[in-house]
Amino acid sequence: MSTAQATSNKATFSRFHDALNSGDAEVISKTIDEVVEPDVLFHAPVPMDATGAQALKQVWAALLRAFPDIHVTVEDVIAEGDKVVFRNTVTGTHQGEYRGLPPTGKSVTYREIFIFRFAGGRIAEIWGVVDVFSQLRQLGVIPA
């Protein structure tokens, strides 16, 4: 894969990331439709019945309901071949139901790492590792 393709994939990732930080469910959904394959393979533990791009939309809808001020700060981005790897720090305030937990008003900061594989300029496969343990500990679900 060419350097130009890696650069293009990073630009698509950046567009996706900017949409996530918009806090607007409609913008996020529209951007997912534009940059993610409908049948994207999503290798991350998501508590949803949906698959593909619909699962991704549902994850973000749930996150926005639970953490309306959610913000994803990209710490590192590495693009090579058909993949973009990024390490994030996520912050937000728990103001809505999340994983069955009523709002606590607590702030959370947790880390995650994702790998996107691109095909034809679109996100075709996603692997994700999210520090849910830290997130749930900060919300008081798991003792400190």
Side-chain angles (χ1 to χ4, degrees):
M1 181 124 340
S2 71
T3 302
Q5 187 62 48
T7 300
S8 174
N9 292 345
K10 278 177 73 171
T12 300
F13 159 75
S14 182
R15 183 171 167 220
F16 178 76
H17 173 260
D18 290 347
L20 299 181
N21 276 335
S22 74
D24 184 327
E26 193 172 311
V27 169
I28 293 169
S29 181
K30 182 176 185 268
T31 303
I32 288 171
D33 286 341
E34 292 171 359
V35 303
V36 177
E37 288 292 336
D39 60 350
V40 63
L41 296 174
F42 197 15
H43 307 284
V46 292
M48 305 291 159
D49 293 331
T51 59
Q54 287 304 109
L56 193 55
K57 289 178 185 182
Q58 286 184 17
V59 165
W60 274 97
L63 286 171
L64 286 171
R65 279 191 306 273
F67 306 97
D69 61 344
I70 193 166
H71 184 78
V72 181
T73 302
V74 176
E75 307 292 347
D76 290 303
V77 178
I78 301 165
E80 186 170 321
D82 63 350
K83 294 189 178 74
V84 175
V85 179
F86 52 102
R87 181 176 63 90
N88 302 321
T89 299
V90 181
T91 57
T93 308
H94 184 215
Q95 298 175 10
E97 184 275 330
Y98 181 67
R99 296 182 180 246
L101 181 67
T104 63
K106 294 180 179 180
S107 294
V108 295
T109 300
Y110 61 94
R111 301 206 176 11
E112 55 188 21
I113 298 172
F114 280 89
I115 302 169
F116 285 0
R117 182 181 62 79
F118 286 78
R122 293 171 60 103
I123 300 165
E125 198 162 3
I126 301 170
W127 293 265
V129 179
V130 178
D131 189 356
V132 176
F133 179 82
S134 176
Q135 182 189 71
L136 295 177
R137 191 185 72 231
Q138 292 172 60
L139 293 174
V141 175
I142 298 171

